[in-house]
Amino acid sequence: MDIARTPSTPDGNIEMADAAVEPKAPPEIRREDYTPFAWLVPATRLDFALGLEKTRVTATLEVERNPAADVSPTIRLNGDGLELVSLKCDGGDCAGHMMDGDDLVVTLEGDSHTLEIVTELHPSANSQLMGLYASGGMLCTQCEAEGFRRITFFPDRPDVLSTYTVTMRAPKKDFPVLLSNGNRVRMDDDGELLTAEWHDPWPKPSYLFALVAGDLVARTDHFTTMSGREVELNVWVRDGDLERTEHAMESLKRSMKWDEETFGREYDLDLFNIVAVSDFNMGAMENKGLNVFNTKYVLADPETATDGDYDGIEGVIGHEYFHNWSGNRITCRDWFQLSLKEGFTVLRDQLFSQDMSSAPVKRIEDVRVLRGAQFPEDSGPLAHPIRPDSYREISNFYTATVYNKGAEVIRMMKTLAGDEAFRQGTDTYFDRHDGEAATCEDFVRSIEDGAGLDLTQFRLWYSQAGTPKVSVNLTHHGDEAILELSQNVPDTPGQSGKKPMPIPLKIALFDRDKGTHAGEQLIVLDKASDTFRFPGFATKPVLSINRGFSAPVSIQRDIPGDELVFLAATDDDPFARYEAMQDLMVAYLVSASKGDLDEETRAAKQADIVRAIGRVIDDEAIEDLMRGELMSMPSQTYIMEQIDEADPARIFERREELKAVIGRELADGLRQLYQRSEKLPYSRSAEAKGARKLKTLVLSYLVASDPQGASALAAKQYENANNMTDRQGALMVLTGVDGAERTEALLDFYNRYRGNPLVIDKWFSLQAMSLHPEVIEHVKALAEHEDFTLKNPNRVRSLYMAFAANPHGFHTESGEGYRMIADLILELDPINAQTAARFVPALGRWRKMEPGRSALMREQLERIAAAPKLSRDTFEQVTRSLG
Ligand SMILES: [Zn+2]
């Protein structure tokens, strides 16, 4: 599954009985309590009589005792708010059965049985978007992690693998297309009623089950696998959206080819279907042979999708496709192992995207996501290891830690092993565990054996939470450069006194005069502190460290500004160069917002930054996409992370001031850059993408120093735009400034794209993320807009997730932003608990804030905690956030 990558949301209308859990504290589930299930379910038959209001499900389960587990006199079938219509054992009455909470527990005497269970569902009333639900007249499913138990009673755990045969019956006029996993084996059409039967030959856990029924059309194509198998590919969408599916289809074909070439993985069915759905909690879902996608990650054309949207689609299509091996063929033994499939698959999609575009720029983007989303998790009340030890609601663990840090951890294995040996490790893993429900430990051992590495100490990365801090001190003595490193893994809730972890650091030592180094080296810091000596330096070199972001750590060093300026202009590792630019700006903004600098020092440091950016503008050897990264300012959120008791208003002020200084001092260079970029016609080439990125970046600097002049330029860019990247970029700049240009552009944008929900989502987001002084008032008004609804997750995220990610609005001194988000959580929780719970971490950052805001944030968390009927999802996040 892919967590929605940018501000994105759920749907529904009737409060489900199970949305609220009666007992205040739902039980805690612990990894160490794992035991294998007492029964195997080798075959499952599902028969659906489909309807939007009412669907009847007949599930037939072949069950037999699991020889690898303790004998049990009963079988526990999980349910979640299900209506049991009837139950049969071997065609007759069961020896006994009872309800235990939502679960059905059946007494079974012999060694193998057939159970027939009939349940009745109400898809239109399912606002949680888990299980079977209705979205705009179609029916679809989402089962990961525990949605299948909302469809029928079943051992809904990933280690119970079964082959599925699915029959669907539905009125043809409403549901002309009926899809499920695997291959279609039968289709009957009596004119009014359609009957389709699907069979998936690959045993799978219930969370990979999927069904789609609706009035859909497909873009069809083919792919020939490396062994010559012909695969039919379909991307299913609503009529009218077909033209916007080309990029998704091309991305799919590239993914299939890449996985063969890079990991030796071939597709294993005759058919691969992707369906786009408007109401979806997540980004997309890797159901075997039938991927279900949020429309956001399928539909694109230049007029309506930005370059970022295109990249997102390619990445998510790749991600879900790669799960066919890392997730489906080898699945997780239990949900504590989620990073086994997600960390590895995120790494695979990152490597894929690196190969498809500019590798350094992709790496920078991935690190930015890690720092923006995962570092705050690691330093906050919700910190957990990539393999958690316990949970109350597994939906809360689809986190940046499990996904993005999980990917970094496996990337470090790749760095330590080298590319070839790492591939031998992954081959070993796929060979050894194909068809199994495996653990993170199985993965690590496979890499160890295949790559010939000792990962004994490395396993700490799976069990210890927190971002390691690495202190760096470089001295020079005689002809030796001496590098002293020490590490500290901070305490996190439930974990203290942590052990040192192996930290692979790529470094280079630059000769300051020549601007070169003698070669990159990989050193591993695996003790609390260590000293590395480098002979052959007549003078003190300049250290470039954690090149390529070789380890997900925070580097702490006292480096003179002029060395950062040197690295920013000279470093041959693009990431390190970017890092030097960021460090230069972060160091300044942190001390300036703390009020540590006098006027003179401030001006001198600003001048350093201006000079460094000036050199980036002038450097003809850099590609524009990279230039855009080097010129970008660190986000306010990232700066806040570096400060205890942060005052968001001061940081905002200093950051805007620095933008204005850059805009003013470099006005000529920036305008020239803009004019040059303007000349490139639209294409999807890296060069053209780079030019578009620069145009909006230049506008954002110019508008800080000259709001009137830049607004006029932005308005012109808006009007003349022949693609969404330019238009959205201009509108983004305009939303922050008062004036007629803002009003006109917003109105035009809305009227132009009224019928396109994905673009209207952008319209909501841009206003919620804006730097306008009245952003709170704007968000309030937007919540009352006729196009706003709490029932569509994309729309909720487009307004409120964007707002919660906008420190300028969310952290308003009065606390009104906090109140708005708390109100939203309380209102959304009964409708869509999963999405509601995702807003809690924003308030959970209260410990990092200055005392006034901190108290206001806590107050709102307490108000939520005191609400009478919280979902399990929100309950867990709020109580953990309060700590
Ligand atoms: Zn995934």
Side-chain angles (χ1 to χ4, degrees), residues 1-2 286 319-320 323 341-342 403:
M1 186 151 58
D2 195 278
E286 70 265 22
H319 180 95
E320 306 310 332
H323 268 316
K341 76 175 179 83
E342 294 304 344
Y403 278 66

Side-chain angles (χ1 to χ4, degrees), residues 114-333:
T114 304
L115 302 179
E116 190 198 275
I117 304 155
V118 179
T119 51
E120 208 157 80
L121 316 175
H122 307 283
S124 291
N126 180 355
S127 69
Q128 301 286 340
L129 312 186
M130 288 294 283
L132 178 72
Y133 65 93
S135 170
M138 68 188 269
L139 287 168
C140 63
T141 54
Q142 169 59 32
C143 293
E144 187 178 0
E146 295 180 337
F148 193 72
R149 62 184 66 184
R150 295 164 63 87
I151 295 174
T152 188
F153 291 99
F154 196 82
D156 191 14
R157 39 188 285 167
D159 59 345
V160 175
L161 309 185
S162 187
T163 54
Y164 285 68
T165 307
V166 178
T167 307
M168 289 169 274
R169 292 164 228 284
K172 187 181 173 182
K173 65 174 175 34
D174 300 326
F175 305 105
V177 174
L178 302 174
L179 307 171
S180 191
N181 313 92
N183 298 313
R184 197 174 75 188
V185 291
R186 188 165 68 95
M187 181 72 164
D188 296 330
D189 178 357
D190 79 351
E192 285 185 10
L193 192 74
L194 275 189
T195 307
E197 187 177 308
W198 288 73
H199 177 71
D200 181 1
W202 298 101
K204 64 170 176 286
S206 50
Y207 81 86
L208 289 173
F209 163 79
L211 158 171
V212 172
D215 191 357
L216 299 163
V217 292
R219 175 184 292 268
T220 301
D221 209 326
H222 292 88
F223 181 80
T224 308
T225 69
M226 59 187 181
S227 70
R229 178 200 280 269
E230 252 322 89
V231 184
E232 180 186 318
L233 313 174
N234 295 302
V235 177
W236 297 90
V237 294
R238 286 179 195 292
D239 198 10
D241 286 337
L242 208 51
E243 280 158 31
R244 295 194 284 148
T245 54
E246 188 185 347
H247 178 63
M249 180 61 87
E250 292 307 313
S251 299
L252 174 60
K253 289 192 284 182
R254 286 196 289 271
S255 306
M256 296 177 88
K257 184 140 185 55
W258 183 89
D259 211 18
E260 291 183 347
E261 289 169 352
T262 313
F263 282 92
R265 300 296 109 199
E266 186 177 0
Y267 188 61
D268 54 7
L269 286 166
D270 305 331
L271 182 61
F272 190 85
N273 282 315
I274 287 176
V275 182
V277 178
S278 332
D279 302 294
F280 204 68
N281 279 342
M282 305 295 267
M285 177 63 208
E286 70 265 22
N287 318 297
K288 184 77 184 191
L290 177 57
N291 285 190
V292 176
F293 270 65
N294 191 321
T295 43
K296 181 177 167 59
Y297 294 109
V298 173
L299 303 178
D301 63 17
E303 166 73 14
T304 59
T306 61
D307 294 333
D309 294 331
Y310 272 89
D311 292 347
I313 289 168
E314 185 177 69
V316 178
I317 295 254
H319 180 95
E320 306 310 332
Y321 173 73
F322 302 144
H323 268 316
N324 190 54
W325 274 94
S326 48
N328 300 3
R329 288 287 285 259
I330 307 179
T331 190
C332 301
R333 187 193 71 176

